[in-house]
Amino acid sequence: MTDTHGADGARPAPAAPDARDAAQNAYEALGLRTEGTLIERLGIELEDVAADHVSARMPVAGNTQPAGLLHGGASVVLAETLGSIAAQLHAGPGRAAVGIEVNATHHRSAREGWVHGVSRPLHLGRTTASYEIVVSDDAGRRVCTARLTCMILDRP
């Protein structure tokens, strides 16, 4: 993978220890392991998890394409992560949510700082759940709009 970790080669400072701990606690409360995953690699930090929305942030530095812009695939990973967590919450105990379709429209680029994603439900059914995920830059400008549909299955 090619990265351009910003002009000076550094990632933005991570969240304060309390924020990191809160994000990790949120993942663990959901039964999610992030160590060694793409979530950890991209620096995605959960911010809020509720029935009607899931939000997180991700640094731009380290998640860029060779021209120094946020990689569109990184935006899609952030979006699918948020929608999948929301779908798992909707599915409930004894059920699993798996992504079956994702699409994204990239509206503008980001070169620095953080991008922030918010997932909100569009459809909450018994066997499928669909979400719109909006990714914005630090100034609140929309960077990407994604839509994710998950299938909800009974766990064996």
Side-chain angles (χ1 to χ4, degrees):
M1 181 166 101
T2 303
D3 271 331
T4 60
H5 295 278
D8 62 358
R11 279 182 171 261
D18 289 342
R20 275 196 312 264
D21 292 344
Q24 190 57 40
N25 290 341
Y27 284 123
E28 290 171 4
L30 296 170
L32 302 173
R33 181 187 60 76
T34 60
E35 185 176 311
T37 68
L38 193 55
I39 293 169
E40 179 183 63
R41 168 92 172 132
L42 271 58
I44 297 171
E45 300 176 357
L46 274 179
E47 294 178 317
D48 195 25
V49 178
D52 65 340
H53 71 279
V54 176
S55 64
R57 69 182 194 156
M58 178 180 70
V60 172
N63 294 316
T64 58
Q65 37 96 318
L69 303 173
L70 176 66
H71 195 293
S75 294
V76 175
V77 171
L78 174 61
E80 187 160 2
T81 298
L82 294 175
S84 294
I85 289 170
Q88 187 59 53
L89 286 170
H90 171 66
R95 304 194 82 205
V98 296
I100 58 172
E101 188 269 340
V102 63
N103 66 55
T105 301
H106 304 289
H107 306 289
R108 68 173 50 245
S109 60
R111 289 187 175 274
E112 61 187 12
W114 296 80
V115 289
H116 308 266
V118 179
S119 171
R120 297 201 185 276
L122 297 172
H123 165 77
L124 298 174
R126 187 179 59 79
T127 59
T128 63
S130 296
Y131 297 86
E132 177 184 65
I133 304 94
V134 174
V135 178
S136 303
D137 64 15
D138 284 328
R141 297 173 300 199
R142 192 176 290 225
V143 171
C144 175
T145 303
R147 189 176 60 84
L148 173 72
T149 299
C150 292
M151 183 182 306
I152 300 172
L153 307 167
D154 292 328
R155 290 185 191 234

